[in-house]
């Protein structure tokens, strides 16, 4: 423009194109590299996703957690219970550190769902450290979403690894308090 090689209309068009391509490059790179935000279990907690468990064994805990959310996305409660208990019989889901993650993949489910149950006395989920589970997180994922369960399990393991966090979480009285605790403990 300064030396007269291009006119003002072309200069304006080049500037606008530079701005537009700069704005599009971020989303385009994410799409090309298939980058996405990690799945956090708290993003899949429904309003009824917090239960103070009265159950004393793993089967009753699964029933209590499934009943708390009731039928969802066209999936009946008894179907949820059957699928989770069948999975539990294949291999126990106690992780250790007072955490258990009974789970199942369900056909007809539109998105993942997590329900958190707190048990003051603990429930035996055959954890490797032989400690009873005080935190029982029921994880339901769509049958056709291969990565959801693993990503959510990884987030749960990261979140509940700290003894201090687990002690504070046991004192949560409702979902709002638990969510605030989880969000305040994030150290990415």
């Amino acid at each position: 423009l300064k030396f007269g090689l291009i006119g003002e209309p072309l200069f304006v068009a080049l500037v606008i194109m530079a701005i537009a391509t700069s704005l599009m490059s971020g989303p385009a790179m994410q799409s090309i590299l298939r980058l996405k935000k990690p799945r956090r279990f708290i993003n899949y907690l429904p309003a009824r996703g917090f239960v103070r468990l009265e159950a004393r064994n793993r089967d009753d805990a699964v029933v209590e957690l499934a009943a708390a959310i009731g039928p969802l996305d066209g999936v009946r409660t008894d179907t949820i219970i059957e699928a989770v208990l069948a999975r539990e019989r294949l291999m126990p889901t106690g992780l250790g550190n007072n955490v258990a993650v009974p789970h199942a993949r369900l056909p007809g489910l539109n998105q993942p769902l997590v329900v958190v149950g707190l048990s003051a006395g603990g429930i035996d989920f055959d954890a490797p450290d032989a400690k009873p589970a005080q935190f029982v997180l029921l994880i339901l994922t769509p049958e056709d979403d291969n990565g959801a369960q693993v990503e959510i399990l990884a987030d749960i393991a990261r979140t509940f690894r700290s003894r201090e966090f687990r002690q504070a979480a046991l004192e949560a009285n409702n979902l709002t308090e638990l969510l605030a605790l989880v969000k305040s403990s994030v150290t990415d």
Side-chain angles (χ1 to χ4, degrees):
L1 181 65
K2 186 177 179 181
F3 296 113
L5 295 174
I6 59 172
E8 196 170 302
L10 181 57
F11 177 74
V12 170
L14 289 172
V15 169
I16 290 173
M17 187 185 337
I19 292 170
T21 56
S22 294
L23 291 174
M24 293 183 333
S25 65
M29 290 300 284
Q30 281 187 329
S31 177
I32 290 168
L33 297 174
R34 299 190 191 278
L35 298 176
K36 61 182 180 177
K37 291 182 178 180
R39 297 186 206 204
R40 301 286 322 271
F41 80 92
I42 60 173
N43 295 336
Y44 303 106
L45 287 167
R48 298 173 300 189
F50 180 87
V51 177
R52 283 265 175 207
L53 293 170
E54 296 178 15
R56 303 217 186 269
N57 62 57
R58 84 176 83 181
D59 289 6
D60 290 347
V62 168
V63 170
E64 198 173 334
L65 290 169
I69 54 169
L72 56 111
D73 287 341
V75 181
R76 295 172 28 139
T77 304
D78 59 338
T79 303
I80 295 168
I81 294 167
E82 285 176 26
V84 174
L85 291 178
R87 169 64 187 84
E88 193 67 34
R89 285 183 193 90
L90 288 175
M91 180 181 287
T93 55
L95 296 180
N97 290 326
N98 305 107
V99 179
V101 287
H103 55 275
R105 295 174 66 187
L106 300 172
L109 194 64
N110 294 324
Q111 69 174 12
L113 180 78
V114 178
V115 181
V116 177
L118 299 183
S119 171
I123 300 168
D124 182 17
F125 272 84
D126 288 335
D129 62 3
K131 292 181 181 176
Q134 292 180 293
F135 304 96
V136 182
L137 291 92
L138 176 65
I139 305 168
L140 305 173
T141 55
E143 189 174 52
D144 58 349
D145 190 344
N146 295 326
Q149 203 170 69
V150 173
E151 289 178 54
I152 292 169
L153 283 167
D155 181 51
I156 289 169
R158 272 190 308 273
T159 302
F160 286 87
R161 74 177 171 246
S162 159
R163 183 174 173 215
E164 292 78 23
F165 173 83
R166 292 191 308 272
Q167 287 174 334
L170 274 177
E171 296 176 19
N173 293 311
N174 54 48
L175 182 60
T176 303
E177 289 180 14
L178 181 66
L179 289 174
L181 183 63
V182 171
K183 289 178 182 179
S184 70
S185 71
V186 174
T187 56
D188 289 2

